[in-house]
Amino acid sequence: MEHLEDHERREVWNKVKDALDHDHIDQFRAEFLELHPYDQAEIFVGLDTEVRMQIYTYLSPEEIADVMEHIDYDEIEPFFTEMDPRFAAQVFAEMSTDDAVDIFNELEKDKVASFLTIMDDEAAQEIKDLLHYEEKTAGSIMTTEFVVVKATMTIRQAMVHLRTEAPDAETIYYTYVIDEDKRLVGVISLRDLIVSEEDWLIADVMSERVVSVSVGDDQEEVARMVRDYDFLALPVVDFQEHLLGIITVDDIMDVMEEEASDDYSKLAGIADVDSPDENAFASAKKRLPWLVILLFLGSLTASLIGRFEETLSVYPILAVFIPLIAGMAGNTGTQALAVAVRGIATGEIDKQGKAKMMFREAGTGVITGVSCGVIITLIVYFWQGNFFLGVLVGLSILMTLIVATLAGSLVPLIMHRFDIDPAVASGPFITTINDIISILIYFGMATAFMNLLI
Amino acid sequence: MEHLEDHERREVWNKVKDALDHDHIDQFRAEFLELHPYDQAEIFVGLDTEVRMQIYTYLSPEEIADVMEHIDYDEIEPFFTEMDPRFAAQVFAEMSTDDAVDIFNELEKDKVASFLTIMDDEAAQEIKDLLHYEEKTAGSIMTTEFVVVKATMTIRQAMVHLRTEAPDAETIYYTYVIDEDKRLVGVISLRDLIVSEEDWLIADVMSERVVSVSVGDDQEEVARMVRDYDFLALPVVDFQEHLLGIITVDDIMDVMEEEASDDYSKLAGIADVDSPDENAFASAKKRLPWLVILLFLGSLTASLIGRFEETLSVYPILAVFIPLIAGMAGNTGTQALAVAVRGIATGEIDKQGKAKMMFREAGTGVITGVSCGVIITLIVYFWQGNFFLGVLVGLSILMTLIVATLAGSLVPLIMHRFDIDPAVASGPFITTINDIISILIYFGMATAFMNLLI
């Protein structure tokens, strides 16, 4: 189930290729345009430059725009560079404004300026307006191709209007109702429109309690809302309730994917887990930053242990449990971190209250600490026959788990408090902090009670 | 922007409460039913049992069904238990089949049986049919409330049919076209329907290249498809192309959330990161399994180091670098694991080829290993003034990073090969395996070249 099955794609491709080779423009158009734009894009990106140059002459800017909307933003730049600039500008004008803006954000500033100059004024203005919004806000993902009606229209009038607007609109399944000042006053779904009598008024059928988001709202919150309410689109308004744009569910799915991949990358301590790596250098470049930071933090841990060299030279057996204790601290911290980061992301923590959460985490640390502490005390006692060593390791695990659990949840909460994305407190960072704490606890206790150790 | 702002919800709630207190059924219905079902559900779950019992008598099974569809599956059981069983059965019958099935999957077997006995035969049969499908397949998330038309109908006939079916259908924005044998032959969007002339035939307007999924397909692949193609719904067919159900975009968003949260939980080594924890015990229960496994794996690491006690007692300084080396191994392994797991999930790895990926990972390991190895050699040399110790630690880091990177990507690839969900190879597991490998490399080298160490 690879969308178009691979053999199907090859089959279609053979026909398309044949048409291109023989300059059969009609045959090419018939075969290619029958495909879903996603499949068109999948074929298109695999072609040689000359073949693509031929296709630009066979398809209209509007048809190329459909293809471009289904190519990843980070791969798209070469295609717009190889096109005739005037043609490229027309393609931009035909794209959904939100998609065009996403691409413009990837291009160099002077290229953006030159495209905007060639484009017709209206399309250029729409794109310029959207370029202003900050990344990851509702404004940055909304589109301006929406359909509006007046409350005083009849259903019949609204349907006529809808049919005219349909070809350019991003969605026609929700129609928004605005007043004279362009303020959002209602919404009506196409479902409601088609089951209503033709001479009823929009005002009588529309829903007045329309859920909207502000243009500056965070895209993650917008996504949560669409998911909770099962909306297909959501209107975006300014502080005076003027309707500025809409966000459709297909864009929300992209946001969800982006946010999930972002959280995942940060937990793994890697710059961007999802864009495919071309070669080992690209891949090392994404991983090295964290590794080098960890190398220095690790050297700090090493120098801390160095201070206990005397204790170590008397009791080299102490070294044996270093990875166990540091490992448990790191893992339990990552668990607590993951719970806190997700709790903040889903809004669950705001509902429950932070104090309650910290209290619960402390309890969790005590329970896991006591359980693991008792187990390891027994293991060490039976293995080494040294009861005090067992108690020392067990108590260290107990204290470590409590402190590491609290650290794992406190750090993201504090970051959230200061409006820093809590996911920045990535897994490796918390792990290393907890390594250090656990080593201090372990050797501190060992040094203090050294004379009991023998 | 808490959906309904909190103060709005309180305001509405005051009116609703007032109506309930005074037994004003009409006022209650007017206020409550004006809300979006998501907000109704948010208010509903916070109420006392007696108040909810009152609400069951004020609302119809259909209205209660709307509320239930917006409550989390794992919180819903008590509500169906407190309702009169006959009323509960009616509520189930009014729910979307896919939502009802999701809840049935959470209930005990004998409760399911008794509800199915009370329900009317048709609804019971629909639910029974869906209960057969394996979890996380297309069949398990599809719904049977879809609209079909015949290719021989006119647009006018189709619209009349659509208006009749609209109240019960999960979506009317896509209408599927079937032949006499109920095989899927086409699809037409409501957008295309309303811009077509009324006396045209469906056959002339429908798209024949309809993308569908098989009933046994994995839900994650279905989600990827909906996202790639920007569909609002996707038809589900059996091996003979019979139309069995549809999957709508709102369910796809839930799947995306579920899969993302699943991957995230596994990377953090915790049973389920997303269902809110009531108390410390519930929370410890989710984290302890991994911690205890790690405790035993950690004891294994400890006993491995124990074998090098002699080396350690001669050079206690060696202990100082244990957390550094183990930490680097764990982190680099997690990075490689995250890349492999995501690559498998997005299908990127199948496209690129596994051999190519392993080759790239080996290269990544060499590059990060050489970089970090050189840095740490210099740090140790300048800090300890011992060049050979620096080289020993540096070489250990080099070898560790290469092996850990390969292990981090090989393990999920092997699991994928044997059809095990690669995300099961969770972060802590890879981390601990790599701890052990790195310790063996480090002490193995130190013991072998011991005489050079002084």
Side-chain angles (χ1 to χ4, degrees):
Chain A
M1 194 201 64
E2 269 308 306
H3 311 173
L4 259 194
E5 309 270 349
D6 279 348
H7 67 92
E8 285 183 82
R9 195 172 284 148
R10 259 199 305 282
E11 205 175 290
V12 175
W13 169 232
N14 284 335
K15 287 192 203 160
V16 169
K17 183 89 182 71
D18 190 58
L20 285 168
D21 285 347
H22 296 87
D23 277 334
H24 287 163
I25 179 165
D26 292 337
Q27 190 194 332
F28 169 79
R29 290 178 54 84
E31 288 297 334
F32 192 74
L33 294 177
E34 175 71 9
L35 296 171
H36 187 283
Y38 174 79
D39 294 317
Q40 295 175 0
E42 288 282 292
I43 289 180
F44 183 84
V45 296
L47 297 176
D48 295 332
T49 316
E50 313 92 82
V51 186
R52 289 200 304 263
M53 297 308 283
Q54 196 180 350
I55 291 182
Y56 297 139
T57 66
Y58 284 9
L59 296 180
S60 70
E62 195 178 345
E63 287 153 354
I64 290 285
D66 278 347
V67 179
M68 293 297 144
E69 284 175 6
H70 286 84
I71 298 177
D72 278 350
Y73 307 137
D74 41 0
E75 300 175 22
I76 215 168
E77 202 250 320
F79 306 128
F80 280 101
T81 313
E82 72 190 10
M83 282 179 218
D84 175 86
R86 225 167 309 249
F87 186 80
Q90 283 175 300
V91 172
F92 276 125
E94 293 291 346
M95 288 178 76
S96 290
T97 340
D98 55 343
D99 290 326
V101 167
D102 286 336
I103 297 171
F104 271 37
N105 278 326
E106 301 284 319
L107 297 179
E108 288 160 36
K109 286 243 187 284
D110 56 336
K111 266 193 197 156
V112 171
S114 78
F115 279 130
L116 286 174
T117 321
I118 322 177
M119 273 167 84
D120 81 81
D121 287 349
E122 197 192 339
Q125 194 52 50
E126 275 182 10
I127 291 178
K128 270 187 217 159
D129 288 347
L130 288 186
L131 276 171
H132 287 149
Y133 296 110
E134 235 179 299
E135 259 193 281
K136 304 201 171 207
T137 61
S140 74
I141 54 169
M142 74 184 183
T143 185
T144 47
E145 285 97 358
F146 52 86
V147 188
V148 288
V149 294
K150 296 264 160 68
T152 50
M153 283 183 174
T154 61
I155 301 291
R156 188 181 299 110
Q157 288 172 318
M159 285 297 285
V160 170
H161 180 63
L162 209 58
R163 285 195 190 95
T164 335
E165 297 285 318
D168 286 325
E170 185 87 1
T171 181
I172 57 162
Y173 298 133
Y174 292 135
T175 303
Y176 297 98
V177 189
I178 52 173
D179 66 12
E180 282 70 46
D181 300 325
K182 298 197 171 170
R183 272 173 232 248
L184 180 65
V185 293
V187 61
I188 181 164
S189 70
L190 184 52
R191 195 181 186 125
D192 290 334
L193 277 178
I194 66 159
V195 297
S196 300
E197 296 296 328
E198 293 215 310
D199 47 4
W200 288 355
L201 285 181
I202 291 289
D204 300 329
V205 188
M206 73 182 192
S207 162
E208 283 169 62
R209 252 191 224 177
V210 42
V211 181
S212 63
V213 294
S214 298
V215 71
D217 282 342
D218 188 87
Q219 63 174 10
E220 198 166 6
E221 280 200 70
V222 177
R224 195 152 78 222
M225 221 153 135
V226 170
R227 198 167 81 80
D228 283 344
Y229 285 95
D230 295 342
F231 287 139
L232 297 180
L234 203 54
V236 182
V237 296
D238 65 12
F239 69 106
Q240 288 180 311
E241 295 288 315
H242 294 125
L243 181 59
L244 301 177
I246 61 166
I247 297 171
T248 48
V249 71
D250 53 309
D251 296 320
I252 290 299
M253 283 192 283
D254 294 337
V255 168
M256 287 176 65
E257 188 67 25
E258 184 188 327
E259 297 282 348
S261 152
D262 221 41
D263 288 353
Y264 193 80
S265 302
K266 277 166 188 153
L267 191 63
I270 177 167
D272 173 9
V273 87
D274 258 353
S275 63
D277 291 322
E278 309 289 299
N279 56 48
F281 286 96
S283 155
K285 206 175 135 196
K286 284 188 202 157
R287 303 187 201 178
L288 262 177
W290 258 117
L291 291 177
V292 172
I293 295 174
L294 292 176
L295 204 58
F296 282 94
L297 287 174
S299 304
L300 189 69
T301 319
S303 83
L304 278 174
I305 302 179
R307 294 177 175 245
F308 297 102
E309 210 179 328
E310 205 182 316
T311 316
L312 262 173
S313 65
V314 185
Y315 307 104
I317 188 75
L318 283 179
V320 161
F321 299 101
I322 295 177
L324 171 70
I325 290 172
M328 293 295 285
N331 284 310
T332 206
T334 306
Q335 291 179 329
L337 171 78
V339 169
V341 168
R342 291 296 301 179
I344 291 169
T346 59
E348 193 57 45
I349 282 178
D350 291 323
K351 262 193 224 166
Q352 287 190 3
K354 282 167 198 160
K356 194 185 154 202
M357 182 197 160
M358 288 311 298
F359 192 74
R360 194 194 63 217
E361 288 295 317
T364 308
V366 171
I367 298 171
T368 54
V370 168
S371 316
C372 294
V374 168
I375 297 175
I376 197 66
T377 303
L378 294 175
I379 292 180
V380 175
Y381 175 62
F382 285 112
W383 174 37
Q384 294 282 336
N386 184 336
F387 182 68
F388 183 76
L389 182 65
V391 172
L392 174 70
V393 176
L395 277 181
S396 299
I397 288 279
L398 165 62
M399 287 175 61
T400 293
L401 290 201
I402 296 173
V403 176
T405 304
L406 284 174
S409 45
L410 247 185
V411 170
L413 278 186
I414 291 172
M415 291 183 133
H416 182 51
R417 180 78 188 72
F418 290 102
D419 269 341
I420 307 169
D421 178 2
V424 170
S426 66
F429 179 71
I430 287 287
T431 301
T432 309
I433 297 294
N434 279 334
D435 274 4
I436 296 175
I437 295 174
S438 65
I439 298 291
L440 286 177
I441 292 176
Y442 177 50
F443 279 102
M445 284 178 55
T447 310
F449 301 104
M450 207 160 147
N451 51 336
L452 294 171
L453 246 188
I454 307 146
Chain B
M1 194 200 67
E2 270 306 308
H3 311 173
L4 260 194
E5 309 270 348
D6 279 349
H7 68 93
E8 285 183 82
R9 194 172 285 148
R10 259 198 307 279
E11 205 175 287
V12 175
W13 169 231
N14 284 336
K15 286 191 202 158
V16 169
K17 184 89 183 72
D18 190 60
L20 285 167
D21 285 346
H22 297 86
D23 276 334
H24 288 161
I25 178 163
D26 291 337
Q27 189 193 332
F28 168 79
R29 289 179 54 85
E31 288 296 334
F32 192 75
L33 294 177
E34 176 69 12
L35 296 171
H36 187 284
Y38 174 80
D39 295 316
Q40 295 175 0
E42 287 285 290
I43 290 180
F44 183 84
V45 296
L47 298 176
D48 296 332
T49 314
E50 313 91 81
V51 187
R52 287 200 306 262
M53 297 307 283
Q54 195 180 351
I55 291 182
Y56 298 138
T57 66
Y58 282 10
L59 296 180
S60 70
E62 195 178 345
E63 287 154 353
I64 290 285
D66 277 347
V67 180
M68 293 298 146
E69 284 174 6
H70 286 83
I71 300 177
D72 279 349
Y73 308 138
D74 40 1
E75 299 176 23
I76 214 169
E77 202 250 319
F79 306 127
F80 280 101
T81 312
E82 73 192 9
M83 284 180 217
D84 175 87
R86 225 168 310 250
F87 185 79
Q90 283 176 301
V91 172
F92 276 126
E94 291 292 346
M95 289 178 76
S96 290
T97 339
D98 55 342
D99 290 326
V101 167
D102 286 336
I103 298 171
F104 271 38
N105 277 325
E106 301 284 319
L107 296 179
E108 288 160 38
K109 287 242 185 281
D110 55 336
K111 266 195 197 154
V112 172
S114 77
F115 279 130
L116 286 175
T117 319
I118 322 177
M119 273 168 83
D120 81 80
D121 286 349
E122 199 191 338
Q125 193 54 48
E126 274 182 11
I127 291 178
K128 270 188 217 159
D129 288 346
L130 288 186
L131 277 172
H132 287 149
Y133 295 110
E134 235 179 299
E135 257 194 282
K136 306 204 169 204
T137 61
S140 74
I141 56 170
M142 72 184 185
T143 184
T144 47
E145 284 98 359
F146 53 86
V147 188
V148 288
V149 293
K150 295 265 161 69
T152 50
M153 283 183 173
T154 61
I155 301 291
R156 186 181 300 110
Q157 288 172 319
M159 287 297 287
V160 171
H161 180 63
L162 210 58
R163 285 195 189 94
T164 336
E165 296 286 318
D168 286 325
E170 185 86 2
T171 181
I172 57 161
Y173 297 134
Y174 292 136
T175 303
Y176 297 97
V177 188
I178 53 172
D179 65 12
E180 281 70 47
D181 300 326
K182 297 196 172 171
R183 273 172 230 248
L184 180 66
V185 293
V187 62
I188 181 164
S189 70
L190 184 51
R191 195 179 186 127
D192 292 333
L193 277 179
I194 67 158
V195 298
S196 301
E197 296 297 327
E198 293 215 310
D199 47 5
W200 289 354
L201 284 180
I202 292 289
D204 299 330
V205 188
M206 73 182 190
S207 161
E208 284 169 60
R209 249 189 229 176
V210 42
V211 181
S212 63
V213 293
S214 299
V215 72
D217 282 342
D218 188 86
Q219 64 174 9
E220 200 166 4
E221 281 200 68
V222 177
R224 196 151 78 221
M225 221 154 135
V226 170
R227 199 167 80 81
D228 284 344
Y229 284 95
D230 295 342
F231 287 137
L232 297 180
L234 202 54
V236 182
V237 296
D238 64 13
F239 69 106
Q240 290 180 309
E241 296 289 315
H242 294 125
L243 181 59
L244 300 178
I246 61 167
I247 297 171
T248 48
V249 71
D250 54 307
D251 296 320
I252 290 298
M253 285 191 283
D254 294 337
V255 168
M256 288 175 66
E257 188 67 26
E258 183 187 328
E259 296 282 346
S261 151
D262 220 43
D263 288 354
Y264 193 81
S265 302
K266 277 168 188 152
L267 191 64
I270 177 168
D272 173 10
V273 88
D274 259 352
S275 64
D277 291 321
E278 309 289 300
N279 57 47
F281 285 97
S283 156
K285 206 175 135 195
K286 284 188 203 160
R287 302 186 202 179
L288 262 178
W290 257 119
L291 291 176
V292 171
I293 294 175
L294 292 176
L295 203 59
F296 281 96
L297 287 174
S299 304
L300 190 69
T301 319
S303 82
L304 278 174
I305 303 180
R307 293 180 175 243
F308 298 101
E309 212 178 327
E310 206 182 314
T311 316
L312 263 172
S313 64
V314 184
Y315 307 104
I317 187 74
L318 284 178
V320 161
F321 299 101
I322 295 176
L324 171 69
I325 290 172
M328 292 295 285
N331 283 311
T332 205
T334 307
Q335 291 179 329
L337 171 79
V339 170
V341 168
R342 290 297 301 178
I344 292 169
T346 59
E348 193 57 45
I349 281 179
D350 291 324
K351 263 193 221 167
Q352 288 191 5
K354 282 167 199 161
K356 194 184 155 200
M357 183 199 162
M358 289 311 299
F359 191 73
R360 195 194 62 221
E361 288 296 316
T364 308
V366 171
I367 298 170
T368 54
V370 169
S371 317
C372 294
V374 169
I375 297 174
I376 197 66
T377 303
L378 294 175
I379 293 179
V380 175
Y381 175 63
F382 285 111
W383 173 36
Q384 293 283 335
N386 184 335
F387 181 69
F388 184 75
L389 183 65
V391 173
L392 174 70
V393 176
L395 278 181
S396 299
I397 288 280
L398 167 61
M399 288 176 61
T400 293
L401 289 201
I402 296 173
V403 177
T405 305
L406 285 175
S409 44
L410 249 185
V411 171
L413 278 187
I414 292 172
M415 290 181 134
H416 182 49
R417 180 78 189 74
F418 290 102
D419 270 342
I420 308 168
D421 179 1
V424 170
S426 66
F429 179 71
I430 287 288
T431 302
T432 308
I433 295 295
N434 281 332
D435 274 5
I436 296 176
I437 294 174
S438 65
I439 297 291
L440 285 178
I441 292 176
Y442 177 51
F443 278 102
M445 283 177 55
T447 309
F449 302 104
M450 209 160 147
N451 49 339
L452 295 171
L453 247 186
I454 305 146

